[in-house]
Each structure stands twice: as structure tokens, then as C-alpha cells.
């Protein structure tokens, strides 16, 4: 059984389009994340939700809007796609990032490879 | 200065070699530390947590020096299957209940037969 799953795995689209990426975890975790890994392989957090509540919102263009319908799902909608949005987007989950010490392991999904033409 | 810095490599080593990776972090308030492994075109996976006293897991040894803000990973008797990118990760508290993982850019290891 896949612990953290993302769809689609590959997404090729034109500039200006709007697209969504979906993420689901079956680990019973409270916290979910979106990360972006650029062409230089740098992995950077974008958003974090705990039990459907937004707790981390990095400096991300407001064209990116996360939505968490329940604690097992965290979707990412991107409006007006730009060339610079091309990257691999990883979803992840953990027990609860707010716990003191932050020792919780994060489990990553397989990634969504987005290419904007 | 980057919050977490690593030598990007690549480190090309023969099978059986011992290889060490280093990492420095900038925020002295950092609370917890990890090494993650990322295979080519795959997601990152936790390799091991890093504790102040140092810790070992089979052929892998991780060490933390809080005074120098320095983390290391030692791999003994390298296997072909160890070839991957090793990510140094630091958990920082940004006030209140918010912790955040900061990833280094990774060190690429290629073990040669």
C-alpha cells in the first residue's frame, strides 16, 4: 500500500494554464506539506497544513493555492502557470510538526514532475 | 549565507571505500537534525536522525557538533547501492508551534565497481 500518493506523476502544460496536483496519505498523520525541488535539486518547503489548518506559508506567489479538504488530503492548485514553475513537486506527511523537538519523520510522495512550455 | 550548506560533490569512490560527508547550518537554535537519502528521480527518504552523542546504524555513522554547527555522515564499506544524493536536514523552530525542515542541496555519491 502506498503511504503518500500524488497524482499526476507527470504534468506537461502550456504557460498560462491552471493545473492541480493531488496528494493523499494513508498513514493517519496530522501534518502534510508541499515542497518544490528545482532543476538544481534544491528542495524547499512551500506550505504545511496541520489537521486542515495552514501553519506554514513560505514566500510563494499567490498563484499557488493549497487546499486541505481533510487531514488525509492536501491538494495544490496553480493558476497562470509560468516557465519558472517547472520543477518536481513533492507532497509529504508527518505525525505532527508542531511537537517539541520536531523529531517526526517526514514521508514523501513520489513527486509530480511539472513541465511548463 | 545558506541555512544549510553541503559540498555538492560528486564523490566518486570505489566499492569498499569509506566516505564522509559534512554539513554546516547557520541557525544555532536548530533543534533536530537528519540525513535523508534521495535516489535518482525518486523521493527523499529518511536515512537516520542525528543525535548529539553521535549514532550508528550498521555501516552509517552520524555525528553532530552543536558548538561548531556541524553535522557529518560516515559511510563505511561502500556498496554500489549506496549511490544516491545525501541530504543534510535541519529542523528549525520559527517561534510558537512552528517547526520547519530546511534541506541542504545534497551531496551526490557515486560508488564505482
Amino acid at each position: 500500500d502506498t503511504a503518500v500518493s500524488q497524482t499526476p506523476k507527470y504534468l506537461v502544460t502550456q504557460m498560462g494554464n491552471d493545473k492541480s496536483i493531488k496528494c493523499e496519505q494513508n498513514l493517519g498523520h496530522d501534518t502534510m506539506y508541499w515542497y518544490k525541488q528545482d532543476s538544481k535539486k534544491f528542495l524547499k518547503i512551500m506550505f504545511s497544513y496541520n489537521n486542515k489548518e495552514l501553519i506554514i506559508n513560505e514566500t510563494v506567489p499567490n498563484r499557488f493555492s493549497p487546499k486541505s479538504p481533510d487531514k488525509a488530503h492536501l491538494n495544490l492548485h496553480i493558476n497562470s502557470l509560468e516557465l519558472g514553475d517547472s520543477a518536481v513537486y513533492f507532497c509529504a506527511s508527518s505525525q505532527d510538526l508542531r511537537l517539541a523537538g520536531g523529531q517526526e519523520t517526514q514521508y514523501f510522495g513520489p513527486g509530480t514532475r511539472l513541465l511548463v512550455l | 549565507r545558506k541555512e544549510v550548506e553541503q559540498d555538492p560533490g560528486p564523490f566518486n569512490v570505489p566499492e569498499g571505500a569509506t566516505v564522509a560527508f559534512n554539513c554546516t547550518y547557520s541557525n544555532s537554535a536548530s533543534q533536530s537534525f537528519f540525513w535523508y537519502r534521495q535516489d535518482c528521480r525518486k523521493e527523499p527518504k529518511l536515512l537516520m536522525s542525528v543525535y548529539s552523542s553521535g549514532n550508528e546504524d550498521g555501516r552509517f555513522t552520524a555525528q553532530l557538533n552543536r558548538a561548531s554547527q556541524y553535522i557529518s555522515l560516515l559511510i563505511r564499506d561502500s556498496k554500489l547501492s549506496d549511490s544516491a544524493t545525501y541530504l543534510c536536514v535541519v529542523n528549525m523552530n520559527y517561534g510558537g508551534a512552528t517547526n520547519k525542515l530546511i534541506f541542504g542541496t545534497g551531496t551526490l555519491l557515486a560508488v564505482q565497481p
Side-chain angles (χ1 to χ4, degrees):
Chain A
D1 281 344
T2 305
V4 183
S5 59
Q6 294 178 229
T7 53
K9 283 193 175 175
Y10 299 94
L11 188 50
V12 181
T13 188
Q14 300 285 335
M15 268 174 50
N17 284 350
D18 302 339
K19 290 292 178 187
S20 291
I21 308 172
K22 295 187 176 182
C23 178
E24 177 181 0
Q25 54 95 3
N26 62 6
L27 296 166
H29 287 164
D30 290 321
T31 307
M32 295 185 73
Y33 316 81
W34 278 110
Y35 287 87
K36 179 181 179 181
Q37 188 168 43
D38 60 26
S39 57
K40 295 184 180 174
K41 308 298 183 191
F42 183 50
L43 191 64
K44 189 165 166 41
I45 191 165
M46 300 171 69
F47 301 102
S48 173
Y49 271 72
N50 190 80
N51 229 338
K52 303 194 296 175
E53 179 191 350
L54 180 66
I55 56 172
I56 292 175
N57 184 349
E58 289 296 282
T59 309
V60 176
N62 58 15
R63 299 181 293 104
F64 290 79
S65 51
K67 279 193 171 56
S68 182
D70 55 61
K71 74 174 194 176
H73 295 84
L74 180 61
N75 304 322
L76 183 65
H77 188 76
I78 315 171
N79 288 326
S80 303
L81 278 155
E82 299 178 358
L83 294 177
D85 297 332
S86 297
V88 183
Y89 291 84
F90 286 102
C91 177
S93 73
S94 69
Q95 281 284 7
D96 189 339
L97 191 60
R98 298 174 307 169
L99 292 175
Q103 282 291 341
E104 301 73 38
T105 301
Q106 290 196 15
Y107 296 84
F108 284 78
T112 295
R113 281 159 181 77
L114 171 64
L115 178 60
V116 183
L117 301 173
Chain B
R1 183 185 171 187
K2 288 182 186 169
E3 291 176 290
V4 179
E5 293 209 61
Q6 292 181 252
D7 180 345
F11 282 57
N12 295 300
V13 302
E15 269 188 290
T18 296
V19 61
F21 304 138
N22 303 318
C23 168
T24 57
Y25 60 95
S26 61
N27 189 333
S28 58
S30 300
Q31 296 179 311
S32 46
F33 310 88
F34 311 89
W35 284 100
Y36 275 70
R37 170 190 169 136
Q38 186 172 22
D39 292 299
C40 186
R41 300 183 68 78
K42 297 285 189 182
E43 70 273 21
K45 291 184 180 177
L46 178 68
L47 178 66
M48 58 197 302
S49 299
V50 187
Y51 303 114
S52 296
S53 53
N55 48 300
E56 192 173 303
D57 182 2
R59 298 181 293 107
F60 298 84
T61 301
Q63 297 218 299
L64 167 65
N65 184 323
R66 281 189 188 267
S68 303
Q69 295 178 203
Y70 171 94
I71 306 159
S72 66
L73 177 69
L74 183 78
I75 306 175
R76 290 181 298 278
D77 188 23
S78 300
K79 312 286 185 196
L80 294 176
S81 57
D82 294 334
S83 298
T85 297
Y86 290 83
L87 301 164
C88 176
V89 185
V90 175
N91 190 339
M92 298 189 184
N93 185 284
Y94 284 84
T98 302
N99 291 289
K100 186 166 70 173
L101 288 190
I102 307 296
F103 285 77
T105 50
T107 299
L108 180 61
L109 172 65
V111 181
Q112 315 288 341

